[in-house]
Amino acid sequence: MVDEKDKIGSMDSLVTELQEFRKEIMTKYPKKVGKKRAKSIVVSNPDNPPEIQANVRTVPGIITQRGCTYAGCKGVVLGPTRDIINITHGPIGCGFYSWLTRRNQTLPVDENDSNFITYCFSTDIQDSNIVFGGEEKLKQAIREAYELFHPHTIAIFSTCPVGLIGDDVHRVARHMMEEIGGGINIFGFSCEGYRGVSQSAGHHIANNGLFKNLIGRNDEIRGSLEYRVNLLGEYNIGGDAFELERIFEKCGINLVATFSGNSTIQKFENAHTADLNMVMCHRSINYVAEMMETAFGIPWIKVQPIGASSTAKMLRKIAQYFGEKKLVDRVEEVIAEEMVEVGEACKEARKHTTGKLAMLFVGGSRAHHYQDLFEELGMTTIAAGYEFGHRDDYEGRRVIPNIQIDADSRNIEEITVTKDATRYNPRKTEEELKELEANGMEFNEYHGLMKQMERGALVIDDLSHYEMDKLIERYHPDVFCAGIKEKFCVQKMGVPLKQLHNYDSGGPYAGFKGAINFYRDIEMIVSASIWKELKAPWESEVHIEATFVY
Ligand code: CFM
């Protein structure tokens, strides 16, 4: 364990230690596994990010943080939209475990606005359906859902067993669309849990489905504000979207659609009427940004409204893109106003947070985004990694042409997108884009997590519980950020765990007010003395140790 006062300051000794740690871990695994895992554990170098192995199958037997393809499609991307009835075609557990645990919130505008998020729709298939097929049960579930709720749109999500028995959810969707009639939109997703190596495959499948079935179906120009933008890859966890909506409105920016925090069907259908796409979570939604650029001519930029200074940066980028003085001035006014309270809260928190250590092992974007907030708190992220990020999320999009496409990636449908015959309209001319780029705007770009990390910090993809235990034993961070599967294992080791998936009971953490909430929550967590008192029974009681003799 590193001594408290030596924790920060000597990055060189940390580099050596982290390298030792990497070696130590590798020797504990069986040789073949160790060799494979070594490629996913690298020492960061922001100037020249090393190649990391990512988006490959987890070694069987390793306790992974990952989720499944169904989770990425149904839970992550489509889940937060309140007026689609999402039916899980599968055993009840798949529906049950994806029922509200992510804390994606929504706010219906009035009592006529549908909100199905609080329900859990499932076909609850049984052994007999596995033997004789589940398509009839699915049709019956759709009929029932329609009779009860009269939704405009129903989506069907395949789980592992229905994929294995070969139920055709797409055929059922077409059949039921005809049977019910009246313009109802029903579509299915082949997002069986095993379809990819993680939930990342589910994002891609969901993106394709959004594009094929919803985006661009309604040309009406909505909203009275100018400066029409979409926010992609924001899912309103703990109310993040509400805070961002507040900021955009205050600046006079028209947020046409969010994919998919606090969203509705109509917002997706209108999304192509925006003039700029902003990508927040690159991993889960970059496909939609690319498809919308090809089809409709909407440029996209990467934004990062986690952390107060990053939120300000995002607003300035929007103002620069639209290039009107009125907006530039308003954005500066809003930033100046919001930063007063942010500054005070940050100063207060920093008294207790400066110099502390954090570790972040979350999903496919937050392990990067939250480093901004920790930087604002004067904390160092000593180790970080994604569960299911791809190489571009670590090393930047420049590596995309060099990423090897394996059989697991080929398993996911690639749709061919072309210019929309009537709606394609480049929002900026080539010259205008060049000029913006000359002034520092970057289109179609994401530099990845490693660019931001300190030299010598550890970057680990698809962290295993064994590696997590060893990291904690050795470095004893002041806070470990991950999810519910890790929470209690880590806390039993005397280290507080902050959930950065569902924020425990906290949030919002996005935008300006979100930053303030985060400062206060982290200050509280790292100041609590209770963790030092925690002793696991085996630390204080006599116990017998044995080894296998095979
Ligand atoms: Fe994107 Fe997400 Fe994330 Fe993600 Fe997720 Fe999530 Fe996440 Mo949990 S879409 S990649 S699949 S930012 S649910 S809101 S917190 S793992 S880091």
Side-chain angles (χ1 to χ4, degrees):
M1 200 197 296
V2 185
D3 190 66
E4 191 72 33
K5 55 183 184 312
D6 292 339
K7 273 182 178 176
I8 306 290
S10 168
M11 210 56 205
D12 285 347
S13 67
L14 281 180
V15 176
T16 326
E17 268 203 53
L18 289 167
Q19 279 162 342
E20 274 169 26
F21 167 79
R22 182 174 182 258
K23 274 193 211 126
E24 181 197 343
I25 290 278
M26 290 309 102
T27 53
K28 292 284 186 214
Y29 284 127
K31 211 165 156 209
K32 223 169 124 191
V33 176
K35 229 168 126 192
K36 186 175 178 194
R37 285 301 300 148
K39 293 184 193 151
S40 292
I41 303 178
V42 301
V43 176
S44 182
N45 174 3
D47 301 330
N48 187 17
E51 181 174 336
I52 185 166
Q53 173 183 261
N55 192 33
V56 296
R57 292 183 187 187
T58 304
V59 177
I62 275 183
I63 303 178
T64 171
Q65 296 181 296
R66 283 175 170 175
C68 68
T69 300
Y70 157 81
C73 185
K74 189 266 184 185
V76 173
V77 180
L78 271 297
T81 307
R82 64 174 166 268
D83 51 359
I84 299 179
I85 286 196
N86 291 322
I87 300 182
T88 300
H89 186 32
I92 196 65
C94 304
F96 181 79
Y97 285 107
S98 58
W99 184 19
L100 285 180
T101 48
R102 186 162 168 251
R103 295 188 71 236
N104 45 262
Q105 303 182 357
T106 199
L107 191 66
V109 287
D110 54 39
E111 66 269 25
N112 299 319
D113 196 358
S114 304
N115 178 14
F116 304 122
I117 284 184
T118 48
Y119 294 93
C120 172
F121 299 93
S122 169
T123 49
D124 182 21
I125 61 168
Q126 304 293 325
D127 301 8
S128 63
N129 307 120
I130 297 289
V131 176
F132 299 109
E135 290 188 11
E136 284 310 312
K137 198 167 189 191
L138 176 59
K139 286 179 191 166
Q140 194 48 41
I142 295 170
R143 280 183 203 113
E144 212 176 300
Y146 182 74
E147 277 162 25
L148 285 171
F149 298 102
H150 296 279
H152 297 292
T153 300
I154 296 177
I156 309 157
F157 299 87
S158 306
T159 57
C160 298
V162 309
L164 292 173
I165 62 173
D167 276 1
D168 186 344
V169 297
H170 308 285
R171 185 174 58 201
V172 172
R174 286 192 299 273
H175 175 94
M176 290 311 293
M177 213 150 40
E178 257 177 46
E179 185 186 304
I180 294 172
I184 190 169
N185 192 4
I186 306 178
F187 45 88
F189 291 93
S190 293
C191 57
E192 300 83 8
Y194 59 77
R195 174 70 66 166
V197 301
S198 69
Q199 51 268 65
S200 166
H203 302 148
H204 196 164
I205 293 164
N207 280 217
N208 289 346
L210 282 175
F211 192 79
K212 285 194 292 192
N213 300 299
L214 291 164
I215 296 170
R217 288 167 65 104
N218 186 331
D219 293 330
E220 201 180 317
I221 304 287
R222 292 174 197 256
S224 55
L225 297 173
E226 304 165 84
Y227 317 121
R228 304 173 61 78
V229 301
N230 294 325
L231 182 59
L232 275 53
E234 196 302 313
Y235 300 97
N236 203 14
I237 312 301
D240 279 352
F242 300 145
E243 164 64 358
L244 296 174
E245 286 167 6
R246 178 189 75 83
I247 295 170
F248 288 133
E249 205 185 324
K250 194 169 171 185
C251 293
I253 295 164
N254 189 340
L255 182 60
V256 180
T258 300
F259 287 71
S260 53
N262 197 29
S263 63
T264 58
I265 302 161
Q266 170 247 305
K267 290 186 182 181
F268 293 147
E269 292 182 339
N270 275 145
H272 65 295
T273 65
D275 294 318
L276 175 66
N277 274 335
M278 299 182 291
V279 173
M280 182 169 166
C281 167
H282 174 264
R283 182 63 275 132
S284 64
I285 205 91
N286 72 86
Y287 319 94
V288 162
E290 293 277 295
M291 290 188 277
M292 286 182 77
E293 175 153 34
T294 311
F296 308 114
I298 308 172
W300 73 264
I301 55 169
K302 174 79 177 72
V303 295
Q304 209 296 72
I306 302 288
S309 49
S310 301
T311 304
K313 202 167 149 195
M314 171 187 75
L315 295 175
R316 290 190 174 117
K317 274 190 195 171
I318 302 172
Q320 190 188 355
Y321 177 82
F322 287 102
E324 282 187 26
K325 190 172 179 306
K326 186 175 75 175
L327 182 61
V328 175
D329 291 347
R330 181 61 191 147
V331 157
E332 289 306 330
E333 252 173 50
V334 170
I335 294 172
E337 200 183 308
E338 296 282 333
M339 282 308 243
V340 176
E341 205 189 332
V342 169
E344 282 163 12
C346 191
K347 203 170 138 205
E348 223 15 71
R350 280 179 72 105
K351 288 180 192 160
H352 300 110
T353 55
T354 306
K356 303 272 190 207
L357 295 185
M359 289 185 183
L360 290 88
F361 290 92
V362 203
S365 82
R366 293 186 175 186
H368 179 193
H369 289 169
Y370 279 76
Q371 294 198 25
D372 282 17
L373 278 166
F374 283 115
E375 268 176 38
E376 288 174 355
L377 286 168
M379 292 175 66
T380 299
T381 304
I382 189 175
Y386 299 126
E387 290 169 37
F388 51 79
H390 297 201
R391 275 187 62 201
D392 36 321
D393 303 302
Y394 287 103
E395 301 170 57
R397 284 180 67 90
R398 66 186 172 85
V399 303
I400 291 178
N402 309 327
I403 295 178
Q404 250 184 333
I405 312 281
D406 60 11
D408 290 311
S409 311
R410 265 189 224 109
N411 215 3
I412 305 159
E413 181 193 20
E414 274 292 346
I415 56 176
T416 316
V417 178
T418 51
K419 282 182 187 171
D420 188 285
T422 53
R423 299 179 180 100
Y424 180 77
N425 164 30
R427 304 314 204 258
K428 298 271 177 194
T429 63
E430 284 296 321
E431 292 74 54
E432 284 169 333
L433 287 174
K434 284 222 177 72
E435 202 191 319
L436 283 166
E437 277 172 338
N439 290 313
M441 288 235 8
E442 290 184 300
F443 296 95
N444 309 57
E445 185 56 285
Y446 173 45
H447 293 293
L449 165 147
M450 289 205 256
K451 259 267 174 292
Q452 181 158 7
M453 290 194 72
E454 301 232 22
R455 187 184 309 277
L458 260 195
V459 180
I460 308 180
D461 182 65
D462 190 18
L463 180 82
S464 74
H465 262 210
Y466 172 69
E467 290 153 9
M468 182 182 81
D469 277 12
K470 293 292 146 191
L471 271 179
I472 290 171
E473 238 170 52
R474 193 162 177 147
Y475 297 105
H476 214 81
D478 299 286
V479 60
F480 194 96
C481 300
I484 192 66
K485 295 199 284 288
E486 296 77 37
K487 187 170 177 93
F488 299 101
C489 305
V490 171
Q491 295 195 158
K492 281 174 191 167
M493 297 178 84
V495 169
L497 187 142
K498 175 67 191 166
Q499 290 195 70
L500 280 191
H501 296 265
N502 69 1
Y503 303 159
D504 296 300
S505 54
Y509 292 143
F512 299 113
K513 297 232 182 303
I516 296 171
N517 290 337
F518 194 78
Y519 301 153
R520 292 187 178 145
D521 285 356
I522 295 299
E523 182 195 12
M524 215 156 40
I525 288 169
V526 300
S527 307
S529 53
I530 187 72
W531 303 105
K532 295 191 189 82
E533 310 300 326
L534 267 185
K535 283 267 174 289
W538 55 87
E539 289 179 90
S540 54
E541 287 167 22
V542 181
H543 62 282
I544 299 168
E545 252 179 43
T547 49
F548 291 109
V549 278
Y550 49 76

